[in-house]
Amino acid sequence: MSTDRYSIFSVLREALRGHTGWKPAWREPEPKAAYDIVIVGGGGHGLATAHYLAKVHGLTNIAVVEKGWIGGGNVGRNTTIVRSNYLLPGNAPFYEHSMKLWEELEQDLNYNAMVSQRGVVNLFHSDGQRDAYARRGNAMRLHGIDSELLDVPELKRILPMLDYDNARFPVKGALRQKRGGTVRHDAVAWGYARAADGRGVDIIQNCEVTGFRIEAGRVVGLETSRGFIGAKKVGLACAGNSSRVAGMAGLRLPIESHVLQAFVSEGIKPFIDTVCTFGAGHFYISQSDKGGLVFGGDIDGYNSYASRGNLPTIEDVAEGGMALMPAIGRVKLLRHWGGIMDMSMDGSPIIDRTPIEGLYLNAGWCYGGFKATPASGWSFAHLIATDTPHETATAYRLDRFATGRVIDEKGVGAQPNLH
C-alpha cells in the first residue's frame, strides 16, 4: 500500500508541525480510457468491493465511478446500526460474516471507524412475539451467532428509561445480541475509499453513468458525464438508483425505490448506551458520541427517488418513540434526512450476475444495506473476480423470484414496502 499509515506517532508528528503535513485521504484521478473492472456507485458497498478486489484478489486496474461525492449517498444517510440477528439460513451466515468483518475493520483499513459493539436489544410485547424471538435466538445460536433472551428485571437494568408500567404495549422482555452496535457511517466510506486508493484503485467522483455500451450481449464499457470508459467487467452497486441504472442496460429489476428517513436530536447527557428497537411498532434508537439521539422507523409508503420524506412518517416515528420512552418528548429534533432504499420483493438482497455478460448486480438491500457493507463488498468482489458466488451469498440469486426460492425474513409476501 502506498498510503501513509495512521498511528499515534503520525498524530504526534503532525501536532508538532501544526498539522501541515497531512495528505489527502485519496487521489482525484482523471478516468483512464479503460479498466479491467469498473464499479458503479461510490457508496459503502462499491468502495468495499473495490477494496477487497484489490486486497483479496490482487486486482488493481479498477475504477469506482460516483455521480456525486464519496459519502453523499446512503452510506452517509443511515442510523449506523450493525447486527447479525437474522433467522433464515439464507441470511444468517451472510450477516454474521459481515459482523466478523466489522470487528476487524479498523485494523484492516487503518482507519478509526468508531466501531462500538454496544449491543442490540429487540423488545417484545406479547407471548407470541416472545416465542418468535426465542425461535430467532435459537436459530442464531445454531449458526454460531450470539444471542440471549432477557426478562423484564434484566431489561430494567439495561434500559431503565422505558415505560414498563403504563405503556399501551407492555414490555415483556427482549432478545439481545451483545456483539451488535453502531459504526460511524461517514468513516466507513472514507476508510474504504482511502484503503482502496492506497492499493491503486481510481476513485472518480462527479462522474455520472449515462449509458452502457453492449456488444454481442457483453458489456464493453460505460458512457459517463466524463466520457466513455471501457471495461471488461462492470459491477452495479447503486442502492436506491439500481433500477434506473440497470434500466440503461435494458434490465428490469424486481426492486422498488422508497425513501427512508433518519433523525437526530439535540445533544443530551448519556441516556441510552445500547441500540433498542420497539417490537410493537417500527422504531429504533441509539445515542451518538456527541450526545444526539439517532433514530428511525418505517419507509415512506410511496415510491420515490427523492432523498427527503414527508411529515406523516415523521409523526409516526415520533409516536413510536413516545410510546416506548416518554422522556424523549422533551428533547428537540435537530435534523432529519432521507436515503433511497432499494426494496426487493422478499426483503433480501441480490448479489449475482445479470443476463448481460460481464455485468454484475449488487442491489435490493432494503433496511439492511449499511450493516451488510463489509460482507457485501467481500462477496461482490468474489463474484466479480471468480464468476462464482461466495459461500455466504449463494442464496442471493437474481432468478430466485422466478424459481420460488425467496428469502422472506419477515414473512409478509411480495410487497416491497412491508419488508
Side-chain angles (χ1 to χ4, degrees), residues 270-318:
F271 176 71
I272 180 171
D273 61 359
T274 188
V275 177
C276 178
T277 73
F278 185 27
H282 203 168
F283 177 82
Y284 39 91
I285 187 169
S286 64
Q287 187 168 16
S288 74
D289 291 338
K290 293 192 294 183
L293 299 178
V294 183
F295 53 93
D298 274 320
I299 58 174
D300 288 49
Y302 55 89
N303 296 356
S304 176
Y305 289 111
S307 296
R308 59 186 182 274
N310 63 20
L311 292 174
T313 300
I314 297 175
E315 182 180 14
D316 180 71
V317 172

Side-chain angles (χ1 to χ4, degrees), residues 222-256:
L222 300 165
E223 303 289 351
T224 78
S225 57
R226 298 177 65 173
F228 176 75
I229 301 174
K232 297 177 182 177
K233 294 183 176 182
V234 175
L236 304 183
C238 310
N241 286 299
S242 295
S243 295
R244 290 203 291 191
V245 177
M248 299 176 191
L251 298 176
R252 185 179 181 187
L253 302 181
I255 287 173
E256 290 183 358

Side-chain angles (χ1 to χ4, degrees), residues 397-412:
R397 296 279 302 270
L398 177 58
D399 66 358
R400 70 176 185 269
F401 305 100
T403 61
R405 296 184 175 91
V406 295
I407 314 166
D408 190 348
E409 186 79 21
K410 291 180 69 174
V412 295

